[in-house]
Amino acid sequence: QVQLVESGGGLVQPGGSLRLSCAASRSLFSFNVMGWYRQAPGKERDLVATIVSGGSTNYADSVKGRFTISRDNAENTLYLQMNSLKPEDTAVYYCRVVGNLVNYWGQGTQVTVSS
């Protein structure tokens, strides 16, 4: 059983920045892929960014150049740095970790971009 504790969400003005954190209850070495997803009201849950065990990253076109996914293995924590935020980034953000036989989701953190 793995607990994923998300933090860092909140209200920010357009053009501002937020840093989301996802702290896992065990080593990130247990997982092959880690990622962030988001879901706006009435819309599908979409992939935002992923990072694999080797460090390679991938981003949705809508966030390329603005968001950065990273991890700190020593702290068992996944991060999403979000810059130049837009109103359309408003959503509940979820972290996800995937191993060979497991798939865990965080409970989500609300990000609202509004003036």
Side-chain angles (χ1 to χ4, degrees):
Q1 188 68 34
V2 174
Q3 293 288 114
L4 300 177
V5 180
E6 299 182 26
S7 62
L11 175 65
V12 66
Q13 295 183 352
S17 298
L18 284 174
R19 188 193 194 198
L20 305 183
S21 299
C22 176
S25 60
R26 74 182 190 210
S27 175
L28 297 180
F29 288 123
S30 301
F31 307 107
N32 301 317
V33 183
M34 292 145 282
W36 290 95
Y37 296 72
R38 66 187 182 187
Q39 186 169 22
K43 298 183 179 180
E44 298 178 353
R45 184 175 297 185
D46 293 327
L47 175 67
V48 175
T50 59
I51 184 168
V52 300
S53 58
S56 297
T57 58
N58 192 27
Y59 299 92
D61 288 341
S62 59
V63 306
K64 285 182 178 178
R66 301 188 297 119
F67 290 11
T68 303
I69 187 171
S70 63
R71 67 189 182 200
D72 186 335
N73 291 334
E75 298 294 331
N76 298 339
T77 302
L78 179 71
Y79 299 100
L80 184 67
Q81 178 67 46
M82 305 184 295
N83 299 324
S84 302
L85 283 162
K86 305 174 181 179
E88 51 263 43
D89 295 319
T90 296
V92 177
Y93 284 71
Y94 300 88
C95 63
R96 184 195 187 196
V97 297
V98 180
N100 290 333
L101 298 174
V102 297
N103 176 14
Y104 297 103
W105 290 89
Q107 292 185 325
T109 184
Q110 177 70 48
V111 172
T112 302
V113 184
S114 176
S115 61

